[in-house]
Amino acid sequence: MKRTISALARNEPGVLAKMATEFSRYAANILSLAAGETENPQVSRIVACIEGDNAALDEISRYLEGLETIIQVDDLSRKDFVDRELVLVKVVMDPERTAQLMQVFEVFRASVVGMGQETITVEMAGDQERVEGLIHMLKPYGIKSMCRSGMIALKRGDE
Amino acid sequence: MKRTISALARNEPGVLAKMATEFSRYAANILSLAAGETENPQVSRIVACIEGDNAALDEISRYLEGLETIIQVDDLSRKDFVDRELVLVKVVMDPERTAQLMQVFEVFRASVVGMGQETITVEMAGDQERVEGLIHMLKPYGIKSMCRSGMIALKRGDE
């Protein structure tokens, strides 16, 4: 089972260490994690995509909710969230296939952010499906390096 | 002192917990952290922006380099990196100022990803300066909620 949870945490030392330790205590694998500032400088948002058995994932959510430093925990699988991820991909640029490659970038609205002698680096933001789609399309060209931000999300609507 | 480091780590349980614990042991504050997949399914990239005194940050880098699970540590302050961050912002939409707001989105090339009765949600990818710039411009309109991915980065050029 995979689950993506979003936690609002007070900026206190060791919050992330506590969370990550708890994940590994329950043998839950962290697939991605993004921790960053929110609209409130005293509060951070940590979005983690974790994999493990269902009971363990439930335990983890309950544990997090019980922590003094955690203000709120949301399960992003509930689908009332706008989820986005950022990816940077450095792909091999073969002169004979450049036009094709550019077409892939256009379809996925990926923007070129860097260029070398033999490679081109693009960025794309989208939901996980689109990010996976781009990576899948670029693989045959040769992916030299890649960096994904992990999912971030906000509730849909005004709330 | 702030420092952004990028570590390539083997996907083994507890890597992130170990890193985060080490950061707090040296009283280094984690400003943002992004952990995600790379081109190699066995390897993750962890980019962390940390704040602390210089000696502590050096200690941390050395500690990470010494870990069995860490393949490589780079200091992203060295500027030979393309760095990007993704931000989602839900901002209050006042009918009288909608046109102005749209202009801000256009200048920053922020895309609308959601809309409510009283708010509009946009995403933007850019370097930290641009992300800070957008947030600064949107503050007067009223930021309802915000989520930042933390910085991700790839080396410039072909390497």
Side-chain angles (χ1 to χ4, degrees), chain A residues 82 84 109 111 125-126 130, chain B residues 86-91 102 104-115 120-125 130 134 138:
Chain A
V82 183
R84 280 293 184 281
R109 269 175 280 157
S111 327
R130 243 162 64 94
Chain B
L86 182 66
V87 65
L88 285 169
V89 190
K90 186 178 292 177
V91 63
M102 291 298 161
V104 175
F105 296 162
E106 213 181 300
V107 167
F108 283 91
R109 269 175 280 155
S111 327
V112 175
V113 292
M115 219 151 170
I120 186 161
T121 304
V122 287
E123 69 169 3
M124 196 203 78
R130 242 162 64 93
L134 175 69
L138 293 182

Side-chain angles (χ1 to χ4, degrees), chain A residues 17 20 32-35 38-39 45 84 90 113 116-119 123 144-147 149 152 155 157-159, chain B residues 17 20 32-35 38-39 45 84 90 113 116-119 123 144-147 152 155 157-159:
Chain A
S32 79
L33 187 144
T38 65
E39 67 283 5
R45 192 187 307 265
R84 280 293 184 281
K90 186 179 290 177
V113 292
Q117 300 288 325
E118 300 146 23
T119 61
E123 70 170 3
K144 200 89 197 282
S145 52
M146 184 174 90
C147 193
S149 69
I152 61 169
K155 273 205 177 134
D158 289 325
E159 209 191 313
Chain B
S32 79
L33 187 143
T38 65
E39 66 283 6
R45 192 186 306 263
R84 280 293 183 278
K90 186 178 292 177
V113 292
Q117 300 287 327
E118 300 144 25
T119 61
E123 69 169 3
K144 199 93 197 277
S145 52
M146 184 174 91
C147 192
I152 62 169
K155 272 202 177 137
D158 290 325
E159 209 191 312

